[in-house]
Amino acid sequence: MSDTHLTSAGASSTVALEYRSPRTTPPLSAVERWARAFLIGVLAPLMTFTCVRIEILNARVGGILPRTSGGKWRAPYERDEVRWRRLHAEITGDPTVETRPLTSDEAELMRAEVEHAQAGAALRDIVGTWGLLQYPVVLVMLISSVGLLAEGRSRRWVTLACVLLVATLACGGLMIHRAYFTSLGD
């Protein structure tokens, strides 16, 4: 771009003006664009969904995380009606519980205990799989979000990096507080 200036002698001169951003960064390569898309589009939602799912299930089973009882964490036995009836027939010594219609109180007790057992089994499964995957995912997301924040390409990237950093710190904090790894036991 050029601009015309008048000199003190009244003659005009043409000066080339170069407009540069104070913070110019080279464009992203294709690999960098795909890596960022993977971080933002796959790892961040996976990390957040896993954290929220674990918290919901933990609340449904009465906040058992972090587990402090020793031994291996096993899924409860009475996860369906047949198993519940069989277990309660043994506990009460009444074999008719397995075949007769349940009273309204027994049906309500069975429904509550089966739901609790199913939530406990689901919590155990998600902590043992996706919960353990949280450790490397949170580390990668922490490094990436700090890197995005430090790079500061634009206001949009800085905002996105701040959101990712807050989500990562929240998920990492809950992961450490709930002790996913040590909750699984031996």
Side-chain angles (χ1 to χ4, degrees), residues 39 43 47 132-147 165 168-169 171-172 175-176:
L39 288 172
L43 286 185
M47 173 189 69
L132 294 180
L133 187 62
Q134 287 284 84
Y135 287 92
V137 169
V138 165
L139 180 63
V140 166
M141 289 303 300
L142 182 64
I143 291 168
S144 300
S145 59
V146 168
L165 184 60
T168 301
L169 292 174
C171 290
M175 173 188 69
I176 291 169

Side-chain angles (χ1 to χ4, degrees), residues 147-160:
L148 280 174
L149 189 61
E151 185 179 299
R153 283 191 170 272
S154 67
R155 183 169 290 196
R156 183 182 309 156
W157 279 109
V158 169
T159 303
L160 180 63

Side-chain angles (χ1 to χ4, degrees), residues 52-89:
V52 169
R53 182 75 177 138
I54 288 173
E55 289 303 309
I56 289 170
L57 288 171
N58 189 41
R60 282 181 52 196
V61 296
I64 63 172
L65 291 179
R67 287 186 68 244
T68 54
S69 60
K72 191 169 180 79
W73 187 4
R74 302 206 183 271
Y77 178 76
E78 63 274 18
R79 291 182 307 230
D80 58 32
E81 182 178 352
V82 172
R83 289 180 177 182
W84 185 90
R85 284 175 174 265
R86 190 176 306 140
L87 180 67
H88 281 273

Side-chain angles (χ1 to χ4, degrees), residues 5 15 34 44 46 67 77 96 105 118 126 134 153 155:
H5 294 282
V15 178
W34 279 105
L46 174 72
R67 287 186 68 244
Y77 178 76
T96 62
D105 290 341
Q118 288 172 342
I126 197 168
Q134 287 284 84
R153 283 191 170 272
R155 183 169 290 196

Side-chain angles (χ1 to χ4, degrees), residues 7-8 11 41 45 50 66 71 90 92 106 121 123 133 137 149 164 166-167 178-179 183:
T7 62
S8 59
T50 301
E90 290 175 17
T92 61
E106 288 174 330
L123 178 62
L133 187 62
V137 169
L149 189 61
L164 289 175
V166 167
R178 299 291 187 213
S183 289

